[in-house]
Amino acid sequence: GFTDISSALEPQKVSDMLGRLYSKFDELSRELRVFKVETIGDAYMAVANLVEDQLDHTKRIAEFARWAIRAANETLVDTEDPGRGYISIRVGFHSGPVVADVVGTRNLRYCLFGDTVNTASRMESNSAANQINCSAVAAELLMQQAPLTKMQARGAIPIKGKGEMHTFWVNVTPTEELVNFGDLLGVPRCSVTLS
């Protein structure tokens, strides 16, 4: 995991690795029109249906997640030592209400608030390497927005701070080319992903 990589590499190499990976994620976010909220260490938070109305927000996040795994799996941990292999990530997402705001007066940051963010984080931490885990709420929306998506129920699993939740593995096969989604009318939810 990231802790092992951080202890094995010099800080500059960790920074270089994350810079290369997050640049790929940033390009994906532009192409899929998913909004990058922030990065905190090895976590990349993105959201759909926040800055523009997107009826297919959960489908976008699922596609972003799948392409992000592919991008990570094509990114070397250390370009000077290819033997260290490629990056593996865990991904999780949830859909629900959030509030976006800039808080404080110094070192301003755009932040998302709400239980949706916490639940998305828990979906990520309960995922597995190169897998996408989502909540039942997100799974239901994904089936409405992308009915051919393959999902596997994980059953009820204990989620820190939430109790037992039903979660799903998402096995989205990305299209050969990224889709340029048109403008759509909105719904009052957004999907948040953390990787």
Side-chain angles (χ1 to χ4, degrees):
F2 184 71
T3 303
D4 295 334
I5 290 171
S6 294
S7 64
L9 293 178
E10 300 166 16
Q12 184 58 46
K13 287 192 174 193
V14 173
S15 175
D16 174 68
M17 176 191 71
L18 290 175
R20 289 182 285 112
L21 179 63
Y22 291 169
S23 292
K24 291 179 180 183
F25 289 179
D26 289 347
E27 181 58 30
L28 286 172
S29 74
R30 276 189 288 278
E31 292 200 30
L32 290 169
R33 292 191 3 237
V34 168
F35 184 75
K36 172 187 177 180
V37 178
E38 63 183 342
T39 59
I40 303 173
D42 67 330
Y44 186 102
M45 185 189 304
V47 63
N49 202 40
L50 181 70
V51 297
E52 65 178 294
D53 292 334
Q54 298 168 318
L55 281 178
D56 62 346
H57 56 89
T58 309
K59 177 183 175 186
R60 283 175 193 269
I61 285 294
E63 279 289 304
F64 176 82
R66 189 68 198 136
W67 283 100
I69 289 171
R70 180 183 279 184
N73 294 166
E74 295 172 352
T75 303
L76 285 168
V77 169
D78 184 352
T79 56
E80 294 175 359
D81 183 3
R84 290 193 184 268
Y86 296 86
I87 299 172
S88 292
I89 62 172
R90 293 184 313 228
V91 181
F93 66 89
H94 176 64
S95 294
V98 296
V99 171
D101 204 352
V102 177
V103 295
T105 59
R106 270 188 73 148
N107 302 327
L108 300 175
R109 283 187 10 195
Y110 188 73
C111 300
L112 290 184
F113 300 97
D115 190 53
T116 297
V117 176
N118 179 52
T119 304
S121 176
R122 297 294 183 234
M123 292 302 102
E124 180 273 329
S125 63
N126 284 279
S127 190
N130 301 315
Q131 295 291 323
I132 304 166
N133 183 44
C134 76
S135 65
V137 169
E140 183 179 340
L141 287 168
L142 185 56
M143 287 311 300
Q144 292 170 12
Q145 296 170 20
L148 299 180
T149 301
K150 296 176 186 172
M151 286 192 275
Q152 178 183 350
R154 297 182 67 191
I157 62 172
I159 303 292
K160 181 180 175 184
K162 308 292 292 172
E164 287 198 346
M165 288 184 71
H166 288 273
T167 67
F168 293 78
W169 293 122
V170 179
N171 302 306
V172 177
T173 303
T175 54
E176 284 303 311
E177 293 190 24
L178 295 178
V179 178
N180 183 10
F181 296 98
D183 290 334
L184 300 170
L185 299 174
V187 293
R189 290 189 169 161
C190 40
S191 297
V192 178
T193 186
L194 296 147
S195 58

